[in-house]
Amino acid sequence: MDLFDILLSASFWAAAIRIASPLIFATIGELICERAGVLNLGIEGIMVAGAFAGWIAVWAGLPLWGGVAVAMLTGMMLGLVHSIFSVPFGLSQHVVGIGLTLLATSLTFYTYRVVLPEVSSPPKITAFQPYEIPLLSDLPLVGPALFSQTPLTYAAFVLAALTALVLYRTPLGLAVRAAGENPSAVAAQGLSVTAIRMGAVTVGSGFMAVGGAFLTLSAFDSFFFDMVNGRGWICIALVVFGAWKPGKAVLGAILFAAFDALQIRLQQTGIGAVIPYQVFLMMPYFLSILALVVMSRRAEIPNALMVPFNKGER
Amino acid sequence: MNNTTKAQVVLRLQGITKRFGPVTANEGVSFDLHRGEVIALLGENGAGKTTLMNILFGQYTADEGTVELFGQTLPPGAPRAALDAGVGMVHQHFTLADNLTVWENIVLGVDPLTAPRLKPAQAKARIRALSDQFHLKVDANAKVGRLTVGERQRVEILKALYRDAKILILDEPTAVLTPQEAEALFATLREAIATGLSVIFISHKLHEVMAISHRVVVLRHGKLAAERATNQTNREDLAALMVGSEVSAPSIETGAPGASLLSLRRVTTPDQGAAPGLKSLNLELAAGQIIGLAGVSGNGQAALSDLLSGLITPTSGEMEMNGTAVQRWTPRTAIAKGIARIPEDRHKTGTIADFDLTENAILETYASRFSRRGWMNWAQARAFTKDLIKTYDVRCPGPDIRIRLLSGGNMQKLILGRVLEEAPQIILANQPVRGLDIGAVNYVHGALAKARDRGAAVLLISEDLDEIMQLSDVIHVISEGRLSPGFGRGTMRAEDLGAWMAGHGFDAESPNAT
């Protein structure tokens, strides 16, 4: 198979969109946190916890959407923990975030062993099935690529659009953006920077967890310890790539996912026989770094990102 | 205004007392503000002006006393209540978000956060109407980060007016403006009070207080020292009330220019981000002169002071020191050639807050003067610092306390001592008295004049025109990296310099000649 054949095949793009979906959830979640001025490095651990919580809830008998809700709530609770330390206490966001990632990951593994003490391979659930949107799914190429996905993928795109609407078209979104640019401007208007930032981190973390749950409830049908596999860190980079704008961040997620889908397919072609497969595995990351360097040079970073706000200080 | 006594009382402060631990910031302060009246709140740094306004605005809670707005007692510690009652505050440090547009900054927090959506068209129309009415020209779609300081202040005022403020508090509003911009601001304020707005104008510039206010309230050491109708007082009277005794500014006479110590010819440096570099600049620093550099900040002052400190090198043009061309130019050669600096920001670049006085006093000379074979000689350093403390009147418990515990004035005296003890040839004084009280200001000015009389060249960079005009033997104005010709002492009025500061008078054909 030649490169053009791959790029023109519907199954390639369908895979890219599927791989992009969890990244979109988590990237949007991280973007909301960062727009309010808080870097959330707990993302990796929150995704692990979300993947587990959603899956175990469905395994225990909840419907699939119930699993999504449990994942979301788990993420929000972890986000609340992050925000308590990073916002009112104003601790280093790096330390809080990395600490939360370690805590959430370990707690997940611990809970897994407590719930399933004598299981050698994790049980499977019935995951989300693709839903073909009538009419749209009949379109050539885009039909199978975009409109024959699972409901959770559609939800990812809806979430990105809603986030953009809220950020740019509502007073709440304006307050969130202002909290990330100049918190004193928010405080001077009699609004609570603490409440806005804590809310943003809590909600954003909820979406990260749903991104994790996508892996267990839609992409696969079970939970493995290393399944998140650094996706959280990729999302941190995607926020920068997207210049803190939801639309561009979604594009970045799809681009990264396309590279990922491409490398799997390239491994099976003639060059795959010559070049070691590790080179292909490296490709999406390498190209992401390249794109990041090009795209993020002119981005407007939220001015107060990573700057704790203490009332009464200048 | 003769009818102020009859006008409605919009704000009544009664017996306001506020303590921070053992420090009393305000003690029993009471006064009334009437509709359509401008009160100037006058006082030195640390007199309690800002604390008082923060209590009024609900950011602090008073220990005693009440704030009444339009007859209603304000619940303590609730900024929202003050805002809703119609108090608008323009802070000295603007509270604007740079990456947001003007209209976004203005509508922030006006609608409740639960409101379904913003209404940009409506907001912009309202902003346009307000800016026409009050002559506050500004582009509602521009990002705030691209605006000049004057424009940002207009946005802050619009923000208050957009919320239907009845009382406007302006904290040192003219500190960052050219005289022309300040005049425009006054015109706007006159317009606003004609419509019934009341204004509290915080300042320590006496001529502005005289120009704009109806009444003056003077704070000293947190207490109300005096209250005067503006038309029944004068500048000398107010100055005396402010500091509690007659003010004697050092009378500084013109110095006689000596040999040229440093000359720049057609020097150009690259722009640094938004800050302009120098554009074909000619400058002569002669021994025995104070050369004042006037200008609105961000017009090339940083480039010039970086150049003289050796942090940047010219891309073109010539630089001569003591008549010989300068070859390699680094911070080290600059110090070796006798260029000393009083940095612009004494907290950030002048001192290390958690180092003690001794360590701070020898920051620039520790390697050359206070160490031998790689080991520090602390005894000598301490003795040196003790001398500095005595000679330069640094009020402190001793050389071993951390410098962050010193007041701004005493910190600056230590820096001054550190610089002057080296008997430098050229002194680069960047905003040397910013934020100091009158006593410390007079001290610093006197010391600079003394250094000049000894034969040093002093380059005084300041945004305060009064300071420049009082001290300088020669005045240059810098605007967008270009330098005006040198004006002799007393040859220019503030308005003339203001025109240059606004960029008028520069002629591309004939670069300045000194």
Side-chain angles (χ1 to χ4, degrees):
Chain A
M1 224 185 347
D2 145 75
L3 187 64
F4 280 105
D5 291 338
I6 296 177
L7 289 181
L8 285 175
S9 74
S11 75
F12 164 73
W13 286 107
I17 297 294
R18 188 177 63 241
I19 298 170
S21 301
L23 300 178
I24 292 175
F25 275 116
T27 303
I28 293 295
E30 181 69 32
L31 185 142
I32 294 171
C33 299
E34 292 192 21
R35 267 302 175 109
V38 181
L39 176 75
N40 189 344
L41 291 182
I43 182 169
E44 180 81 7
I46 291 171
M47 288 182 79
V48 173
F52 174 75
W55 168 76
I56 202 80
V58 173
W59 176 77
L62 255 71
L64 282 166
W65 286 108
V68 173
V70 168
M72 174 105 191
L73 284 175
T74 308
M76 288 176 77
M77 265 158 60
L78 291 168
L80 186 66
V81 171
H82 187 295
S83 69
I84 287 170
F85 287 110
S86 60
V87 183
F89 291 164
L91 301 183
S92 155
Q93 296 178 4
H94 294 97
V95 176
V96 172
I98 291 172
L100 186 68
T101 282
L102 295 175
L103 173 77
T105 312
S106 321
L107 259 183
T108 301
F109 298 168
Y110 174 76
T111 315
Y112 178 91
R113 275 298 163 221
V114 170
V115 178
L116 303 165
E118 280 156 33
V119 184
S120 55
S121 69
K124 289 184 186 307
I125 56 161
T126 312
F128 279 108
Q129 297 304 310
Y131 174 78
E132 295 189 356
I133 297 180
L135 299 177
L136 288 175
S137 59
D138 296 335
L139 294 170
L141 190 64
V142 285
L146 271 177
F147 300 111
S148 306
Q149 300 280 356
T150 67
L152 214 46
T153 292
Y154 304 136
F157 284 90
V158 171
L159 171 70
L162 275 181
T163 303
L165 270 179
V166 170
L167 276 180
Y168 292 104
R169 297 286 170 83
T170 66
L172 177 68
L174 179 58
V176 169
R177 285 187 290 142
E181 292 290 345
N182 184 355
S184 357
V186 177
Q189 296 309 311
L191 302 173
S192 164
V193 177
T194 309
I196 289 169
R197 285 188 162 180
M198 287 183 73
V201 174
T202 304
V203 170
S205 302
F207 295 145
M208 293 170 192
V210 174
F214 183 93
L215 298 173
T216 47
L217 300 183
S218 186
F220 306 101
D221 52 8
S222 189
F223 173 80
F224 309 100
F225 280 150
D226 54 355
M227 75 190 309
V228 173
N229 193 22
R231 281 182 175 83
W233 311 134
I234 289 294
C235 293
I236 302 256
L238 285 175
V239 173
V240 181
F241 177 87
W244 290 269
K245 295 188 171 72
K248 277 189 179 176
V250 168
L251 280 183
I254 293 174
L255 192 68
F256 176 83
F259 286 143
D260 202 14
L262 187 63
Q263 62 90 6
I264 298 169
R265 283 160 178 77
L266 281 181
Q267 282 187 46
Q268 292 145 12
T269 61
I271 31 175
V274 189
I275 300 169
Y277 76 95
Q278 288 90 342
V279 175
F280 293 100
L281 285 179
M282 194 178 72
M283 202 178 76
Y285 299 94
F286 179 73
L287 291 174
S288 299
I289 292 171
L290 213 68
L292 193 62
V293 170
V294 176
M295 289 285 292
S296 64
R297 294 186 64 167
R298 301 184 60 188
E300 285 171 340
I301 303 171
N303 274 330
L305 180 61
M306 293 186 281
V307 184
F309 177 72
N310 297 315
K311 211 179 156 190
E313 274 181 26
R314 285 200 197 284
Chain B
M1 223 178 178
N2 299 321
N3 58 349
T4 45
T5 44
K6 288 180 194 116
Q8 179 202 357
V9 172
V10 292
L11 166 74
R12 171 164 290 164
L13 294 176
Q14 250 171 344
I16 299 285
T17 298
K18 173 75 185 168
R19 299 182 197 89
F20 295 104
V23 184
T24 305
N26 289 137
E27 194 176 341
V29 179
S30 311
F31 65 86
D32 290 348
L33 175 69
H34 300 88
R35 186 165 189 274
E37 186 187 31
V38 179
I39 285 190
L41 192 59
L42 192 65
E44 290 195 272
N45 290 293
K49 298 175 302 216
T50 305
T51 308
L52 189 64
M53 289 306 108
N54 280 333
I55 290 170
L56 165 54
F57 202 63
Q59 275 154 337
Y60 293 150
T61 311
D63 296 317
E64 287 161 36
T66 54
V67 179
E68 257 179 50
L69 280 169
F70 304 98
Q72 305 278 318
T73 304
L74 199 67
R80 194 84 214 181
L83 273 170
D84 291 344
V87 179
M89 182 151 179
V90 177
H91 293 268
Q92 194 178 358
H93 307 274
F94 299 147
T95 53
L96 297 171
D98 282 357
N99 281 339
L100 302 186
T101 61
V102 167
W103 75 265
E104 285 176 324
N105 268 288
I106 291 175
V107 304
L108 172 66
V110 173
D111 290 330
L113 295 187
T114 49
R117 52 167 304 172
L118 295 165
K119 299 192 182 75
Q122 226 172 299
K124 283 182 218 168
R126 176 113 194 274
I127 291 167
R128 209 166 306 127
L130 284 172
S131 64
D132 285 348
Q133 187 186 350
F134 294 102
H135 311 297
L136 293 161
K137 211 174 136 257
V138 67
D139 174 11
N141 289 317
K143 290 225 168 133
V144 166
R146 305 242 157 83
L147 302 184
T148 64
V149 181
E151 286 173 315
R152 285 178 207 209
Q153 187 174 60
R154 277 176 241 157
V155 177
E156 283 279 21
I157 296 171
L158 277 171
K159 222 161 96 178
L161 295 173
Y162 190 90
R163 284 172 162 275
D164 292 321
K166 308 278 188 306
I167 300 171
L168 192 59
I169 304 171
L170 299 161
D171 193 358
E172 308 237 353
T174 59
V176 291
L177 303 182
T178 63
Q180 277 77 0
E181 283 175 319
E183 202 38 63
L185 169 69
F186 288 171
T188 295
L189 290 182
R190 288 190 190 106
E191 202 89 27
I193 53 180
T195 68
L197 200 83
S198 310
V199 176
I200 297 181
F201 185 91
I202 303 174
S203 181
H204 56 234
K205 291 188 187 167
L206 295 168
H207 63 94
E208 289 174 355
V209 167
M210 296 302 293
I212 189 76
S213 70
H214 302 120
R215 264 193 309 148
V216 186
V217 170
V218 184
L219 286 186
R220 188 169 72 230
H221 304 312
K223 288 183 209 156
L224 193 113
E227 202 181 324
R228 296 271 192 280
T230 307
N231 55 19
Q232 283 161 25
T233 184
N234 56 46
R235 290 169 67 159
E236 292 70 30
D237 184 26
L238 290 175
L241 288 169
M242 223 160 105
V243 291
S245 60
E246 290 292 325
V247 191
S248 59
S251 64
I252 290 163
E253 285 148 30
T254 312
S260 167
L261 298 180
L262 177 118
S263 74
L264 303 178
R265 285 195 210 303
R266 295 182 172 275
V267 165
T268 297
T269 65
D271 294 348
Q272 292 175 324
L278 305 175
K279 310 269 187 304
S280 187
L281 175 133
N282 294 327
L283 178 67
E284 201 82 40
L285 299 185
Q289 275 201 315
I290 296 180
I291 299 94
L293 189 70
V296 178
S297 75
N299 270 291
Q301 290 98 327
L304 182 57
S305 89
D306 283 356
L307 176 69
L308 295 188
S309 320
L311 292 170
I312 55 174
T313 50
T315 45
S316 68
E318 290 146 41
M319 216 172 147
E320 272 181 15
M321 283 202 76
N322 303 320
T324 51
V326 166
Q327 298 298 330
R328 281 191 65 246
W329 190 237
T330 65
R332 192 170 275 256
T333 43
I335 292 170
K337 296 265 183 193
I339 296 183
R341 292 164 302 148
I342 300 173
E344 179 176 7
D345 187 331
R346 58 182 159 269
H347 298 283
K348 272 196 195 136
T349 51
T351 57
I352 301 176
D354 285 314
F355 275 20
D356 64 28
L357 295 192
T358 305
E359 287 164 326
N360 274 293
I362 61 165
L363 267 186
E364 283 167 350
T365 47
Y366 64 93
S368 54
R369 278 184 58 177
F370 299 102
S371 67
R372 278 185 66 191
R373 296 196 202 96
W375 294 94
M376 290 296 306
N377 185 343
W378 285 115
Q380 194 192 343
R382 268 188 103 240
F384 168 75
T385 310
K386 275 187 171 165
D387 275 353
L388 276 192
I389 291 171
K390 208 191 271 168
T391 320
Y392 291 89
D393 188 29
V394 184
R395 303 207 185 131
C396 64
D400 302 320
I401 65 153
R402 289 180 304 154
I403 201 161
R404 72 157 68 237
L405 300 172
L406 261 53
S407 72
N410 285 316
M411 210 183 267
Q412 193 71 327
K413 284 182 191 167
L414 188 85
I415 294 175
L416 200 65
R418 175 172 94 189
V419 166
L420 297 181
E421 278 304 289
E422 298 301 309
Q425 273 200 303
I426 296 171
I427 300 168
L428 177 60
N430 204 343
Q431 313 277 3
V433 299
R434 180 190 276 173
L436 302 188
D437 61 36
I438 290 190
V441 167
N442 288 342
Y443 188 92
V444 172
H445 285 170
L448 290 177
K450 228 185 271 171
R452 174 202 63 184
D453 294 341
R454 156 178 79 65
V458 179
L459 179 64
L460 172 69
I461 302 179
S462 175
E463 284 161 30
D464 186 346
L465 263 189
D466 290 343
E467 180 187 15
I468 294 270
M469 293 175 70
Q470 185 198 344
L471 239 65
S472 313
D473 300 311
V474 178
I475 300 175
H476 291 276
V477 181
I478 194 164
S479 171
E480 287 165 21
R482 300 163 303 178
L483 198 71
S484 77
F487 307 115
R489 176 189 289 265
T491 60
M492 296 291 270
R493 295 172 305 154
E495 299 82 73
D496 305 330
L497 293 174
W500 283 90
M501 284 160 74
H504 304 301
F506 288 94
D507 186 349
E509 295 303 308
S510 61
N512 65 79
T514 331

